[in-house]
Each structure stands twice: as structure tokens, then as C-alpha cells.
Amino acid sequence: MALALTACGRIWNQPLPEGESVVLKPAELTTTWTGAKGGTLTLKPDGTFAAESVCGNWMGASDGNWGGPRSGSGTWEDDSDETGTAVWLSFDTKGPKGDDVGNALSALRHGKTLMLWTRVGDEDNDDPHCILTRDP
């Protein structure tokens, strides 16, 4: 039985980060968010952002996804609804094959800590999630 389960792949996916979905106001979003490895994402009130070695699962239509850190600038959109906040990032610089590059981050609250997060890589792997927290 164990051999059969091993042959079919993992049973459990990487668990979601601890926290509850939260709706954030624009003023709560427009700040600098920092990753565990020091990368930063600054969301500005004018709808632009600056990223410095920020983690993510960057998507391009034909470029595929890659999970390495990315630096640059672009625009962001607040995609909140009554269940929570998501932020869509679109980099100004195109991917290797000329595709738009972007990522969606979801908002969570764990205690007093606000975070933006996304999965990185295949969810069946033990790839760490990209988790950004707000600077105080």
C-alpha cells in the first residue's frame, strides 16, 4: 500500500500560512512589505510599486512560472471583495519571451501581523511560500 501511495505522488500539499483572510483598506496596503530573506515590495498610493529581490511565483503566458526573486517596478491593483484582499502586480519589464510578468498576492492576518502571500512552485513540493509582512 505504501509503495502504491508513493508512486501516485504526495498525499498532502504544502499547508497555507497561518492566518485568516482579511479585507485591507488602500491605506493599509500602501507601505513597504518585507520578505523573510530581506526582499521588499513598496506599494505606492498612485498604483505603482517598487520591488527589490521580492519573492513570488512570477507568471508569463509563454514564459512559464519561475519562483526566484524579482526586482523592478510596475503597477498594482487592489482586487478586494467581501471575503478578502488580493493585490495584482504587473511588472513594467517583460519576461524573456516578451510576455507580461505578474503575480497575485493574498492578504492574511495572523494576530497583529498583516501579510501578503502566494504559493511558489508546485504546491506538491516543499517550496516555501512567499510571505511578505508590513514594516511597522
Side-chain angles (χ1 to χ4, degrees):
M1 173 95 164
L3 182 57
L5 290 175
T6 302
C8 293
R10 290 184 52 166
I11 297 172
W12 307 107
N13 294 335
Q14 175 81 344
L16 300 177
E18 287 189 55
E20 296 180 7
S21 184
V22 62
V23 177
L24 298 178
K25 298 174 185 169
E28 294 173 296
L29 289 169
T30 54
T31 187
T32 297
W33 300 81
T34 304
K37 294 185 179 178
T40 60
L41 173 67
T42 301
L43 301 178
K44 301 174 186 177
D46 66 357
T48 63
F49 71 83
E52 183 64 39
S53 296
V54 71
C55 57
N57 197 39
W58 308 109
M59 297 174 272
S62 66
D63 297 339
N65 295 357
W66 62 97
R70 187 166 178 89
S71 298
S73 60
T75 58
W76 68 276
E77 292 181 35
D78 178 353
D79 193 18
S80 296
D81 63 22
E82 63 278 351
T83 63
T85 291
V87 174
W88 178 258
L89 305 175
S90 293
F91 276 89
D92 293 332
T93 305
K94 304 293 184 186
K97 295 182 182 176
D99 288 342
D100 292 335
V101 176
N103 193 21
L105 301 166
S106 299
L108 292 176
R109 181 186 308 274
H110 184 161
K112 293 184 180 183
T113 302
L114 290 175
M115 62 187 104
L116 296 176
W117 81 281
T118 190
R119 291 188 187 276
V120 175
D122 183 341
E123 66 183 63
D124 288 336
N125 294 336
D126 286 327
D127 297 331
H129 297 309
C130 173
I131 300 173
L132 306 170
T133 57
R134 283 185 356 161
D135 287 349

